[in-house]
Amino acid sequence: MTRPAPGTLPLRGDLAHIALADRYLAAHYVVPIAATVRAQSTAFRLQPREDAELGALLDAGQPIELLDLLGDWCWAAIGPEGPSGYLERNMIEIENSDGPL
């Protein structure tokens, strides 16, 4: 089976959205945490760095699914069918959180 292009399905070699477990092999699967894009629109990036290629645009207030935290960056998806990508951690609000993760 061919791997999807970066920025599409929430699937990396080491980690994948739990909803993809029946279709794709990954080292680990994750149950996402509900989050929301803060008050400023942003875009997913294809790598966790400021100069990385832009992916899908995200509107302020848009619900997303948090999959992984990587220092100042997080990996998230709009849903199990994507799109997915990286965004700066300060651009999201974790739902039902008692404080920062």
Side-chain angles (χ1 to χ4, degrees), residues 61-98:
Q62 181 166 356
I64 60 172
E65 296 183 343
L66 178 62
L67 301 164
D68 195 13
L69 296 173
L70 309 154
D72 292 337
W73 291 87
C74 62
W75 182 52
I78 292 177
E81 297 302 318
S84 65
Y86 298 89
L87 63 159
E88 290 182 84
R89 196 166 162 179
N90 64 358
M91 294 301 295
I92 65 166
E93 184 76 31
I94 308 293
E95 295 182 17
N96 300 320
S97 173
D98 293 330

Side-chain angles (χ1 to χ4, degrees), residues 4-70:
T8 56
L9 292 179
L11 174 69
R12 302 186 316 205
D14 65 329
L15 195 63
H17 193 294
I18 189 69
L20 302 177
D22 64 340
R23 294 184 282 163
Y24 293 95
L25 180 62
H28 303 280
Y29 299 94
V30 64
V31 175
I33 296 171
T36 305
V37 175
R38 288 191 186 254
Q40 181 179 345
S41 296
T42 190
F44 280 141
R45 296 194 178 268
L46 298 187
Q47 297 293 321
R49 53 178 211 270
E50 289 182 21
D51 64 344
E53 183 180 345
L54 295 176
L57 297 176
L58 304 168
D59 294 327
Q62 181 166 356
I64 60 172
E65 296 183 343
L66 178 62
L67 301 164
D68 195 13
L69 296 173
L70 309 154

